[in-house]
Structures are given as structure tokens and as C-alpha cells.
Amino acid sequence: GGFHGHPSDENYARWIEFGAFTPIFRVHGDYEQKRQPWRYGPIAERAAAHAIRLRYQLLPYMYSYAWHDHTAGVGLVRPLTFGWPDAPQVRNDSSTWLFGRWLLVSPILQQDQTQKRIYLPAGTWTDWSSGKVYLGGRSITVPVDSRTWSDIPLFIRQGAIIPTQRVEDYVGQHPIATVLVEIFPASTRSDFDYYDDAGDTYAYQHGAYFLQRLSVQAAADGISLTTAAGSGTYRPALTHYVFAVERTVAMAVERDGVPLRRVADPAALDECTASCWTIGGDRYGGVTYVELPAGVPDRVRIRGGADPH
């Protein structure tokens, strides 16, 4: 965001949250205007830090869409009309947009705002922060925290495949060996092309990249999880994916028809040297975690019921 003069603490925090969901994220100001978060008071600093960390968590998701932009010409930020061209409610909606295919964001932009009306297009949506589920095709009213300014209305589209990483202080601080892939299976097959490269040369234009398609689909007899063969000559630090299949408590997991080894809990996945699975829970409900090697083709079947919660 760019500001003329000195914004209020709340305005600064909210514009940082807005900027976290744009392709290029940086702050500007007039000559001698300082833009560091700690210059806007402790409340704004905490809100800004929360937004920045969330953006860093989503970097694998965002970088993969940068590749999609390069190859297909469709950017990370998309108007809702891209997904729902026949819905008149979204044609003039500039306060809400798709962040990639699977996330919908509607940042708070008004000073002292206590609630916001948001139109959710057709489909099923999950609130990123609370886990509350909404049926789309209608407008909802969400409360706005006018005291901490830390809430960002962010919703996950059913069918989502969202790769995430641990938060760093800067890009490249640590090698990312494991990527957590959050999955919200739908009856229609979903695909995500995970992408990475060195990030500092144009060698990707000559094949020096890593690209792998991840797919998921839910059916009455279970959930299928597929990874295609990787392509490109670049070899990232990534060795494993941990797929978090949300709202699913598996009874059994099979890899190519053979039972996959189950470990005690999610913490034990760190010690899994091959492929394994376990169950746990998060703000969305029960979770089945499946660890698979990156870069190789795999076909996994998750058998069990949906989380009753």
C-alpha cells in the first residue's frame, strides 16, 4: 500500500492485511515517512505481523500460481466473475476477490468498521480462521474486530488443495524439506500444479524447475489422493509432502492397494522415513495426515468416514 502522509494505526494495519493478498507486497510513503510495523503502536504491529506470517505460510501456494500466470496468463488475484460469470452479484464486487482458485479474501478497509457484508458465490466455503462452514450463493455478515484489527475475512473453497510451509523471517532462511498440503476434498476431482525453482535466475525458462500435479477426489467409498511424476530439471530441498485431509478420520489408508504404515500421531510423522499416515485434529475438525515422497507418482486411497464434528 502507498500512503500520503501518516495513516492512522488502524488504517496501516488494515492496508497491510490488504497488501498481504496481492501479488507484490511492500509499503511506501512520502519522504521521511516510516513504514515499519512497530511505528504504528503495539496493536497495529501485532495485526501486521499476523498478516505477514500468513502470507509467508502461503508462499508455496502463491509461487505455484506465479508459474500459472507465466504459462497461462491468469494471475494470482482474480475477480469473482472468473469463477462465476453468470452470477450478477459478483460483477461489480471489487472488495472481494479470489486468491488463486481456492481462496476468497475480503479485507477490511473501513475505519472503525464492526461488521462486513460479503457475498459468497455458489459452493461450500470454510472460514480460514474459525473453521465455520458456509453454503454459498448468498451474502453473509461477518463481525469485524475493531479492537485488535487482526481479523482477515478469508474463506476456503471446497475442493481446495493448498500447499503451505513453516513461517520464516525471510525467503530462503531455511531449506523447506516438507510442505504441508491442506486438502478439502470434493466429489469433483481437484488438481493443483505444485511449482518451485531457484528463484534467482531465468533458468526456469529452459526447464530448470520442479513441477508436480497433486489431485484429490472424494467418493462414497473413500478419498483418492494422487501425485503425478515430477517434471523439470530443478531439484528443490523438498523431500516430502504431508497431506492434511480435512474433516476426514480414516480407518485405513492404502498405497497402490497395499496398506500404508500408520504412526501414533502427527508428531511421529517427523520420524517417518518413507510413507505413512495418522489421524489428528485442527480447527476444522478431524484430520487424516498422509506423508508421501515428493517428485514421484503415487496413488493413495483413504478409507473411512467424514468427521462427525
Side-chain angles (χ1 to χ4, degrees), residues 39-81:
R39 293 182 177 270
Y40 292 84
I43 298 175
E45 181 181 357
R46 284 192 294 270
H50 169 71
I52 293 167
R53 291 189 180 104
L54 178 55
R55 182 179 175 90
Y56 267 72
Q57 183 181 350
L58 290 169
L59 277 178
Y61 178 82
M62 295 166 55
Y63 204 62
S64 295
Y65 275 106
W67 168 257
H68 189 271
D69 187 7
H70 170 70
T71 57
V74 180
L76 176 65
V77 170
R78 309 166 180 204
L80 298 184
T81 50

Side-chain angles (χ1 to χ4, degrees), residues 2-242:
F3 304 100
H4 176 71
H6 192 84
S8 71
D9 295 351
E10 181 182 0
N11 185 217
Y12 174 86
R14 291 304 192 184
W15 274 89
I16 287 289
E17 293 167 357
F18 173 94
F21 288 91
T22 58
I24 298 176
F25 178 44
R26 59 189 180 210
V27 293
H28 297 277
D30 291 343
Y31 179 65
E32 292 186 345
Q33 284 290 326
K34 306 301 182 182
R35 290 292 181 257
Q36 296 91 337
W38 52 87
R39 293 182 177 270
Y40 292 84
I43 298 175
E45 181 181 357
R46 284 192 294 270
H50 169 71
I52 293 167
R53 291 189 180 104
L54 178 55
R55 182 179 175 90
Y56 267 72
Q57 183 181 350
L58 290 169
L59 277 178
Y61 178 82
M62 295 166 55
Y63 204 62
S64 295
Y65 275 106
W67 168 257
H68 189 271
D69 187 7
H70 170 70
T71 57
V74 180
L76 176 65
V77 170
R78 309 166 180 204
L80 298 184
T81 50
F82 275 31
W84 296 268
D86 297 325
Q89 300 92 334
V90 304
R91 290 174 187 166
N92 296 312
D93 190 348
S94 59
S95 67
T96 302
W97 60 89
L98 288 176
F99 196 64
R101 184 182 177 190
W102 301 114
L103 293 173
L104 178 149
V105 64
S106 188
I108 305 303
L109 303 178
Q110 301 296 322
Q111 186 91 3
D112 301 320
Q113 194 169 353
T114 58
Q115 63 181 24
K116 184 172 185 179
R117 192 78 171 160
I118 300 170
Y119 181 80
L120 295 178
T124 302
W125 301 88
T126 298
D127 185 296
W128 174 278
S129 298
S130 71
K132 184 176 180 179
V133 178
Y134 296 90
L135 184 64
R138 63 190 179 97
S139 294
I140 63 171
T141 299
V142 298
V144 174
D145 190 337
S146 59
R147 295 182 301 105
T148 69
W149 315 324
S150 61
D151 48 338
I152 307 172
L154 179 63
F155 300 88
I156 305 163
R157 187 179 181 181
Q158 196 66 28
I161 300 174
I162 305 174
T164 64
Q165 69 176 46
R166 64 177 177 176
V167 175
E168 299 182 292
D169 290 334
Y170 56 88
V171 174
Q173 182 181 12
H174 306 287
I176 304 298
T178 302
V179 165
L180 176 66
V181 185
E182 308 239 21
I183 291 180
F184 293 77
S187 57
T188 302
R189 172 175 163 149
S190 301
D191 300 304
F192 187 92
D193 291 329
Y194 180 88
Y195 175 86
D196 199 6
D197 62 28
D200 56 1
T201 74
Y202 289 100
Y204 70 92
Q205 296 181 350
H206 307 287
Y209 58 78
F210 173 81
L211 185 66
Q212 186 173 23
R213 173 157 290 191
L214 315 176
S215 304
V216 66
Q217 185 171 8
D221 62 342
I223 296 168
S224 61
L225 177 61
T226 306
T227 62
S231 62
T233 60
Y234 177 71
R235 296 294 175 263
L238 176 68
T239 59
H240 287 83
Y241 301 107
V242 173

Side-chain angles (χ1 to χ4, degrees), residues 233-300:
T233 60
Y234 177 71
R235 296 294 175 263
L238 176 68
T239 59
H240 287 83
Y241 301 107
V242 173
F243 294 92
V245 186
E246 303 292 347
R247 300 196 182 97
T248 301
V249 180
M251 300 300 294
V253 177
E254 300 170 354
R255 182 186 186 191
D256 294 327
V258 178
L260 200 62
R261 182 170 70 94
R262 179 175 178 177
V263 296
D265 52 41
L269 291 174
D270 292 338
E271 301 173 5
C272 181
T273 57
S275 300
C276 51
W277 70 280
T278 191
I279 58 174
D282 59 17
R283 61 189 179 277
Y284 306 120
V287 185
T288 296
Y289 295 95
V290 181
E291 182 171 306
L292 295 174
V296 298
D298 260 316
R299 186 174 299 274
V300 168

